[in-house]
Structures are given as C-alpha cells and as structure tokens.
Amino acid sequence: MDYREIEGSWWLPGNSNKIPGALVYSAEGISLRVFGALRPMEEDSSGITLGFAKWVITPLVYGESRDGKEITLVEVSGLSTTLPPREETHRVGLAVLGQHLSEPSFTGIRVNFDYLAEWAGAPSIHTYSKAADPVLHPNTVELAIGSWGNVELAIKSGAEGRMNESSVHFERWCSFYAQSQHVCEWRELFERYARPFHDLLIVSLGRPLSMTKVALKPYGSVEWCEAYFETRQSTAPVNEHKIHSYSAPTLLLLHTATMLAGELLPKWFDLRQELRESLTLLLAPFYAPFTYEEHRFASYFQSMEAYHGARKATYGSAELPKADHKQRVAAVVSALEDAHLTDDVTQWAKNVIQGRNDKPLSKRVEDVVRSTGSLGQELLSAAPDFCKNVVWARTGVSHGGANGGLSSASRHWHGEILLWIMRARILQDLGVHDACDRVRKRDAYQFALKQIRDEESPTG
C-alpha cells in the first residue's frame, strides 16, 4: 500500500472551527490526526462542559489541503476528547479528493488494476518510425463497452502526464468503468462492480493482482474524484508482459475471448452473480496470498462443492432416482426388522437411511471433472484415484487427524489441479468454449498433472 500524508485543515460541515492535522494513508489503513478537538465541546443541561472521552462516528468531515484541494472524509470514527493534549486520531472509512460532498452518494466508479492494460490490449500511446519523430496519442480509447441492466460497463485506456518547454512525461493508463443511473453507497459500488471485475481478471490470469487506483463520481457531478480506502493497494509497477510468458497461468485475454468484448462484460456479471459463493471461495487465496497451503486447498475444494450445488439442474443432487432409493431403503429396513433389534435402534436407522440419498463427495468431484470434457478425461486417465484423493485430503483438512495417505506435497498438487479444473469450468460457463483445451496446453498444468500421475504409478 502506498504511503501518503496530506496536511491541511479539517472541520465538520456547518462548523467554521478549522483545526490543523494530516490525513495519513498507509499499510495500516487511513487515519486522520488532528491537533485539537474535531467535534465541538458539549454541555449538559446545567451548562457544564463535558470533558470525558467517548467513541464517536462522524458521517462527514471536510478538509482542505495546503495546496487548496477540497477533501471529504466519510465514516470518521475514533475517541473524541476535549482534554489536553488536544490531539486526536480517527479512523477513516473513505477519503474523496476533489470535492466537498453534501452526502456520500455516488453514481460511478473507475478502477485501475495490475495487468489490466495488457489483459485488455490497450494500444501504445505513441508511434515511432526511423523516418519521423515520435507522435504521442493521448486520446482516450474504448476497448470494451456494454450494458448490464441500467449500468454502463466499459474498459478504456489513454495517456496522462505533463509537458513544458524542457520535458515531456506521459504514462499510459487503463481503467474499468461502471456508471449507474441510480445513486449508490460507496461500498455498494465496490461490491457490485469493482469486485466482480477483479474476480474476472484473477480467473483469467490465475494470479493475485491489486486494485491500484480508484475514482468515484459523486451524485450530481460530472467530475471523477480520486478515492482512498483500506482495500486499495500499492501502485508499485508490475511487469505486465509476464502474463504472456510460456509458464504463466493465463487462460483468457480480452482479445482471445470467443465473443465480442462488449458482450463479455455483461455475461461475466450475470455469471458472477450466479456463482458468487463458488467464486468467493475459489479466489480467496488470491486476495490473501499469504494463506497457508492447506487453507488454499480447503478453499478450492469448497468452491467445487458450492459450484456443484449451484448446478443441481445439470448434475443432480441425488445418488439414485427416487424409485431406486425407495427400493434400497426397503431392503435395508427389512433386514433391520429381521435382526430383531430394539424398536428405538430400528427407528433411528430408518430415519437416517430414508433421508440420505445425496451424492457422495467423490461423485460430486467426478461430476465436475467429467464436465470439462477432454480435460477431465485426460486427468482421470492419468490419475484414476484423483476424485478419491481430493476427498481424503478434504477430510484431513476439514476434520483434522489423518491426511488419508496424502503428503503435504501431494495435497498441494491435487489442489493445483482442482484450481485449473474450476477455472476451466467457469470460463466454459462464460462462453469460452475452448477453455479446457487452453488449460491442457499450459506447461504449469501439465507439470502438476505429472506430479500426481507419477505418484499413482506403480514405480512412483
């Protein structure tokens, strides 16, 4: 996370008492440090000033930086006191630079992400040939535009910078836009639009990436205001060309989708809404890359379970048809009655077996694996016990104790295969019909497959 400190004056809307302080944005979040009392002193009914400290949450705080920029802070919370040394530190939910807002309502969000320019195919901002001087192209270019309900979704790129008589400095930018006709609370914008698009990039690229720059469009305004909040991360440069490496886990770029760019965005937002639970579990380790390996495995497996549950119409949730299950139950009940057990034991057994017609976990894994066509066939040919092994590993991770014979290294590789399968399956649902073939061509997938194939071979 970037470190930034903005010194200036701070006050409450409608209050002319401005106090000095600094807005600090760091790895610990956003805080406001003021040299004085942010809130005015209070008096009780007797006219006595109340001097005790209390926790307060202030909806809006206004600020003005030393260079005259207007700032609005949203959800400012902390311990407020009028006692010496008259210095207070408050947590800040959101900082909006550029305007004093009468209310924290917005109609649009603009976000930059690591690798977005390369993923979206943003053009160069200049042309150059040996026969002519370089030509700068700073104009904004629309790389994708579509509608999702009453929301306009877009990906745009361009250049920004400065120049004078002695120097020129421009940098390319690329942003995802979501603009609504309705007023939204700022968290709603992040959850509904920024996070789903973030998910798309991770599923496509198979790597963690940061949300590096955010701007919000206040209600009633035509201007975009830079925004800071705790989830926004560092703008440290990344090597965008890494996503093209032969060893990269990349499965999808905007120009390699089997549909128009403008169709991809709304289709993804529909799919993400449908598979929200599964995607949240699958991508959790990418949002927290410090996660331990067994936690990563648990997330991948639970994502598969959630996916199977969301696709009941396709896979079915019962192990046997109702008639076959009824016949099976009747046979077991008959055997119980012939065993002359006590009535309470017999009734307990009946209650258990009558309701248990759900698919075993290994069959649910197999359903999802086989639904990936040639990818699943290749996997099960190379590792026939894959489905059983991942269920054993899941039991060990979820319930403790034995790992079902899987070492930590083996569990890791089985988890990697699960991740490839789930990414392929989700991209297939998106309409990328050759997603499974793309996985099979990735060296990283074939290496992971070799690890579990060698483990299952007689000489392994």
Side-chain angles (χ1 to χ4, degrees):
M1 179 178 287
D2 295 335
Y3 179 86
R4 185 173 183 183
E5 183 170 334
I6 302 175
E7 295 184 346
S9 301
W10 311 91
W11 67 95
L12 300 183
N15 189 332
S16 59
N17 180 36
K18 299 182 180 182
I19 55 177
L23 178 69
V24 179
Y25 175 68
S26 69
E28 297 179 356
I30 314 174
S31 62
L32 174 66
R33 185 175 71 252
V34 292
F35 301 99
L38 185 62
R39 297 175 63 89
M41 293 184 294
E42 298 182 9
E43 296 182 351
D44 64 13
S45 56
S46 66
I48 300 175
T49 299
L50 301 176
F52 57 83
K54 63 178 180 178
W55 189 265
V56 294
I57 299 177
T58 307
L60 293 177
V61 172
Y62 288 163
E64 184 178 47
S65 65
R66 286 189 171 182
D67 60 0
K69 178 173 290 187
E70 293 181 343
I71 303 171
T72 301
L73 308 181
V74 181
E75 296 178 12
V76 180
S77 60
L79 198 62
S80 180
T81 178
T82 60
L83 298 177
R86 293 182 176 270
E87 179 179 327
E88 298 175 352
T89 299
H90 298 263
R91 300 292 296 178
V92 178
L94 173 73
V96 179
L97 281 60
Q99 291 186 29
H100 286 153
L101 309 180
S102 58
E103 57 180 346
S105 300
F106 306 91
T107 57
I109 184 169
R110 184 182 73 201
V111 193
N112 292 16
F113 294 95
D114 288 340
Y115 307 106
L116 176 56
E118 201 64 25
W119 180 84
S124 172
I125 63 173
H126 82 280
T127 55
Y128 176 79
S129 65
K130 293 182 178 179
D133 294 331
V135 178
L136 180 67
H137 304 287
N139 296 334
T140 298
V141 178
E142 289 185 347
L143 304 174
I145 187 165
S147 297
W148 187 57
N150 61 1
V151 179
E152 181 182 284
L153 306 173
I155 303 172
K156 303 177 184 180
S157 72
E160 61 184 3
R162 64 184 185 276
M163 60 182 175
N164 54 37
E165 292 81 1
S166 59
S167 67
V168 176
H169 179 83
F170 277 80
E171 292 185 357
R172 183 176 66 178
W173 58 264
C174 188
S175 302
F176 165 74
Y177 290 74
Q179 297 189 70
S180 174
Q181 298 175 9
H182 299 294
V183 176
C184 297
E185 191 263 346
W186 64 277
R187 287 192 181 87
E188 187 178 6
L189 284 172
F190 288 112
E191 286 295 321
R192 284 192 179 184
Y193 310 117
R195 181 178 171 186
F197 186 75
H198 201 164
D199 287 352
L200 172 61
L201 291 178
I202 295 176
V203 170
S204 299
L205 300 177
R207 63 173 69 239
L209 51 96
S210 299
M211 178 188 303
T212 57
K213 193 172 183 180
V214 179
L216 298 171
K217 179 177 281 189
Y219 173 63
S221 174
V222 297
E223 301 295 331
W224 291 92
C225 295
E226 188 176 6
Y228 287 85
F229 68 110
E230 195 165 8
T231 310
R232 174 176 162 168
Q233 297 176 4
S234 173
T235 56
V238 297
N239 180 3
E240 296 218 343
H241 295 288
K242 286 174 63 177
I243 66 175
H244 301 297
S245 165
Y246 75 92
S247 61
T250 302
L251 291 180
L252 178 68
L253 302 174
L254 187 61
H255 74 277
T256 65
T258 52
M259 67 199 77
L260 296 176
E263 296 175 358
L264 177 69
L265 295 178
K267 286 191 69 171
W268 170 258
F269 274 75
D270 282 335
L271 181 64
R272 199 267 183 185
Q273 196 170 54
E274 181 184 356
L275 299 179
R276 177 188 176 93
E277 182 180 354
S278 178
L279 282 163
T280 297
L281 291 164
L282 183 69
L283 304 182
F286 293 91
Y287 287 110
F290 52 81
T291 304
Y292 284 106
E293 181 273 326
E294 66 178 353
H295 299 144
R296 293 171 62 89
F297 178 88
S299 288
Y300 300 155
F301 191 96
Q302 290 166 359
S303 171
M304 184 282 303
E305 287 187 89
Y307 180 87
H308 192 281
R311 291 285 183 261
K312 287 182 180 179
T314 300
Y315 302 127
S317 58
E319 182 181 10
L320 294 176
K322 287 185 178 180
D324 293 344
H325 176 63
K326 186 175 181 180
Q327 186 177 2
R328 177 172 62 177
V329 170
V332 176
V333 169
S334 176
L336 287 170
E337 291 174 345
D338 291 343
H340 303 294
L341 301 172
T342 60
D343 290 344
D344 58 336
V345 171
T346 301
Q347 187 59 50
W348 170 80
K350 288 181 181 180
N351 293 340
V352 171
I353 63 176
Q354 284 173 348
R356 293 310 302 267
N357 189 28
D358 51 325
K359 283 188 176 181
L361 271 176
S362 60
K363 185 62 175 71
R364 281 180 259 172
V365 176
E366 185 180 345
D367 283 345
V368 177
V369 170
R370 289 195 181 279
S371 72
T372 60
S374 58
L375 176 63
Q377 292 173 10
E378 180 184 51
L379 169 59
L380 295 179
S381 295
D385 291 333
F386 174 80
C387 301
K388 179 180 67 176
N389 286 343
V390 293
V391 171
W392 281 352
R394 177 261 189 192
T395 301
V397 167
S398 300
H399 301 292
N403 285 335
L406 295 185
S407 65
S408 295
S410 178
R411 184 177 58 210
H412 166 78
W413 293 115
H414 280 78
E416 288 297 298
I417 294 292
L418 262 182
L419 174 60
W420 283 107
I421 291 290
M422 287 303 302
R423 290 177 62 208
R425 183 62 266 177
I426 289 165
L427 289 177
Q428 275 188 312
D429 290 349
L430 180 61
V432 183
H433 305 302
D434 63 341
C436 295
D437 290 333
R438 297 185 187 198
V439 170
R440 295 177 65 196
K441 293 176 181 177
R442 304 311 299 175
D443 289 347
Y445 169 75
Q446 290 297 334
F447 182 82
L449 184 61
K450 182 178 185 300
Q451 306 312 303
I452 63 173
R453 179 195 293 120
D454 290 348
E455 184 176 89
E456 293 198 359
S457 65
T459 58

